[in-house]
Amino acid sequence: MTDKNELAQIGVVGLAVMGSNLARNFARNGNTVAVYNRSPEKTHALIEAHGEEGNFVPSETIEDFVASLERPRKAIIMVKAGKATDAVIDQLAEAMDDGDIIIDGGNALFTDTIRREKDVAARGKHFVGAGISGGEEGALNGPAIMPGGPKESWETLGPILESIAANVDGTPCVTHIGPDGAGHFVKMVHNGIEYADMQVIGEAYQLLRYGAGMEPAEIAEVFREWNSGDLDSYLIEITAEVLAQKDPETGAPLVDIIVDAAGQKGTGRWTAINGLELGVPITGIAESVFARALSSSTAQRRAAQEGQLPAGTIKALDVDKAEFIEDVRRALYAAKLIAYSQGFDEIKAGSEEFGWDVDPRDLATIWRGGCIIRAKFLDRIRAAYDNNADLPALILDPYFKSELEDLIDPWRRVVVAATQLGLPAPVFASSLSYYDSLRAERLPAALIQGQRDFFGAHTFKRTDKPGTFHIEWSGDRSLTQTD
Ligand code: NBP
């Protein structure tokens, strides 16, 4: 139903896949929603196909769109991230009044969100960068929403966002994350964790396929079974679906027909870059981004295959299939746990760096539904932070520590097996090294500090007394205290 005279509670600018589904979600949940797209064809198409689902107020100019919103006006931008977002923000800020709220629901880089909020605030309006996860299906049926921006905007926006968000056990999967860029930052790390989660699932598949010699349909059944236990999650569920799918044209397993080169633009890469900038070892996420980059290094891979790089002479392990499958399940669980632990570390570091005061319990709560990384496991993470909001690392929570007791040996066996079989398992292996590095009483960083002092007089600290020291390496090798 459309009514040009009715004022809308919310507006959506940008009616491609995400925007049109989000607009329908608002309308289906009893909100009158104003809709506008740069090219009016998309607006017409939406109204024609779905106008009966609720109350839509379509406009063909940004001025009419703004005029169709009740005050304080609330407009969500769902256009291509980057310059398009800046262009639309400028148009809205021009047409809106003081106190109105502009929400960017696209996948913006959080530093852009910080900049945009400053600019929009200087023009008297509120700006909210909101991460939205769940893809097109989530946008329509209930996404997880991570809004940042001023707290007072949340007071106004909260109820309307709660009306469309996913809901788990009566709790909507949306909450105010923190000021300015906090929402988009958290969405970025969510996507980084998603990269790692997908990669560890991929590594488990690779080991079962080429290590245990199983066919995709058989592995699909294994994933189905895993989905009823600790690994119960959206990504495991869809993995079983993808592995069971046959190519409609040839009848071959679809996974064998799809080109094995994955993209790594956008949020996963940003998460890795930000981890480096903050000095947080998010090894699982970074390895996942690199694994995608390697997969897409097609020419180099072909040359390496044609040149037949030596595989070595170590005989592959003779593994018992059933035991190996269970070991792989546990290794997957362990590596996934590390990826989440590292992701939460990055959020903590970002929150401290930018003064956002992000509560990890909020994330564990809202990520339980709607988003791509939704999983039963998030309940455990929430319980961990409920017990101790200042956990030094997620894996140090007593529950996860006790889980690791059962995971560590299978995890080591799987990394050994992958190495001996000559199968790549970058996140399984690097996460184990990360884990052992955290546990290690002494790290080779002491030697590195010695080397740095040798070639660059970078000085070092001592274990036995305070101060900063240097060895006269090119002289008499005496010790001097520099402060
Ligand atoms: P796209 O990212 O494909 O963007 C297309 C939309 O942007 C169209 O409405 C287009 O209008 C509009 N647009 C462009 Br392009 N340049 C514009 C400009 N200069 N001024 C005004 N409008 C402009 O859409 P999407 O896939 O629906 O995604 C929307 C946002 O949601 C993106 O930021 C995306 O990263 C994010 N997101 C997407 C997903 C997903 O699963 N797709 C998930 C989560 C978040 P036109 O019709 O006139 O060309």
Side-chain angles (χ1 to χ4, degrees):
M1 187 177 82
T2 61
D3 181 350
K4 282 301 291 177
N5 298 318
E6 193 174 347
L7 284 180
Q9 282 101 45
I10 185 92
V12 179
V13 181
L15 301 173
V17 187
M18 290 295 285
S20 56
N21 278 356
L22 209 62
R24 290 171 63 197
N25 189 351
F26 278 119
R28 286 171 170 195
N29 283 290
N31 304 290
T32 298
V33 52
V35 287
Y36 167 76
N37 192 75
R38 178 181 60 175
S39 31
E41 296 76 32
K42 283 200 179 70
T43 315
H44 300 157
L46 171 67
I47 299 303
E48 202 159 299
H50 305 288
E52 295 309 311
E53 290 178 9
N55 292 343
F56 295 94
V57 186
S59 292
E60 294 201 7
T61 67
I62 203 99
E63 291 75 18
D64 282 354
F65 168 79
V66 168
S68 71
L69 292 165
E70 73 179 27
R71 292 162 196 254
R73 302 184 179 97
K74 301 170 279 298
I76 301 195
I77 302 171
M78 293 304 295
V79 302
K80 199 173 174 60
K83 286 202 178 84
T85 307
D86 279 317
V88 176
I89 290 171
D90 189 52
Q91 291 162 5
L92 284 174
E94 200 55 40
M96 282 177 152
D97 291 319
D98 285 5
D100 289 347
I101 306 171
I102 300 171
I103 306 121
D104 174 19
N107 270 336
L109 181 60
F110 75 97
T111 45
D112 284 342
T113 303
I114 294 173
R115 165 181 62 79
R116 286 167 179 153
E117 198 205 334
K118 276 205 189 87
D119 292 350
V120 171
R123 296 166 80 170
K125 285 95 192 168
H126 296 289
F127 183 75
V128 172
I132 301 182
S133 177
E136 53 182 295
E137 194 269 331
L140 183 62
N141 296 317
I145 312 176
M146 295 150 251
K151 184 84 181 164
E152 66 232 74
S153 300
W154 169 246
E155 310 294 333
T156 315
L157 273 179
I160 199 159
L161 294 182
E162 285 173 354
S163 77
I164 61 149
N167 197 294
V168 177
D169 303 335
T171 308
C173 295
V174 54
T175 195
H176 182 240
I177 303 296
D180 58 64
H184 275 139
F185 181 87
V186 157
K187 169 64 171 27
M188 174 189 80
V189 179
H190 162 286
N191 284 22
I193 293 173
E194 178 184 310
Y195 268 55
D197 209 340
M198 292 168 79
Q199 174 65 23
V200 289
I201 290 172
E203 291 178 17
Y205 157 73
Q206 180 92 348
L207 287 163
L208 297 183
R209 183 81 193 271
Y210 303 104
M214 295 165 68
E215 288 302 311
E218 197 187 352
I219 303 173
E221 285 312 311
V222 169
F223 274 95
R224 263 191 203 119
E225 202 183 307
W226 288 357
N227 200 38
S228 60
D230 297 317
L231 293 175
D232 178 343
S233 62
Y234 173 70
L235 283 171
I236 294 280
E237 183 191 323
I238 66 163
T239 300
E241 295 290 326
V242 174
L243 287 174
Q245 180 67 39
K246 296 258 191 283
D247 173 34
E249 283 195 4
T250 61
L254 182 68
V255 71
D256 287 349
I257 300 291
I258 299 176
V259 173
D260 60 344
Q264 50 82 33
K265 283 186 285 190
T267 43
R269 183 164 57 182
W270 294 342
T271 313
I273 292 170
N274 180 259
L276 289 172
E277 281 173 357
L278 291 173
V280 183
I282 34 100
T283 58
I285 296 169
E287 278 293 355
S288 308
V289 179
F290 287 136
R292 289 196 190 187
L294 191 152
S295 76
S296 296
S297 305
T298 319
Q300 208 177 37
R301 285 178 62 197
R302 199 179 310 116
Q305 285 158 27
E306 283 165 1
Q308 291 174 357
L309 289 175
T313 55
I314 295 177
K315 247 180 112 246
L317 282 184
D318 200 8
V319 290
D320 174 274
K321 189 171 153 190
E323 281 173 20
F324 186 62
I325 293 172
E326 178 55 14
D327 274 2
V328 170
R329 185 188 73 80
R330 291 182 192 221
L332 167 51
Y333 184 12
K336 175 177 163 136
L337 183 50
I338 297 296
Y340 279 69
S341 192
Q342 294 176 342
F344 275 87
D345 285 349
E346 183 167 355
I347 288 168
K348 187 175 176 197
S351 177
E352 281 167 9
E353 174 78 14
F354 297 100
W356 288 325
D357 206 16
V358 175
D359 188 335
R361 288 170 297 192
D362 287 344
L363 307 181
T365 304
I366 66 171
W367 288 350
R368 292 179 309 155
C371 66
I372 304 296
I373 64 170
R374 62 186 181 262
K376 208 170 95 181
F377 172 73
L378 262 311
D379 278 327
R380 295 288 184 191
I381 296 182
R382 191 174 68 155
Y385 285 116
D386 272 343
N387 281 342
N388 179 2
D390 294 319
L391 263 178
L394 188 58
I395 49 172
L396 289 166
D397 165 69
Y399 173 81
F400 288 126
K401 249 169 46 186
S402 74
E403 291 286 273
L404 282 161
E405 295 277 353
D406 294 332
L407 303 180
I408 184 67
D409 285 350
W411 188 11
R412 291 195 195 287
R413 282 197 293 272
V414 167
V415 170
V416 169
T419 308
Q420 294 210 329
L421 290 161
L423 291 173
V427 177
F428 279 11
S430 66
S431 305
L432 183 54
S433 281
Y434 165 87
Y435 179 80
D436 284 330
S437 295
L438 271 189
R439 292 175 46 260
E441 206 176 312
R442 294 282 293 162
L443 287 171
L447 175 59
I448 289 167
Q449 289 299 80
Q451 292 164 334
R452 295 178 70 231
D453 190 54
F454 187 101
F455 65 68
H458 289 293
T459 71
F460 56 87
K461 306 269 186 206
R462 295 177 60 95
T463 56
D464 55 356
K465 57 181 173 186
T468 304
F469 299 88
H470 169 62
I471 294 279
E472 296 299 336
W473 293 103
S474 50
D476 63 359
R477 305 225 164 171
S478 60
L479 179 76
T480 49
Q481 182 161 4
T482 58
D483 80 61

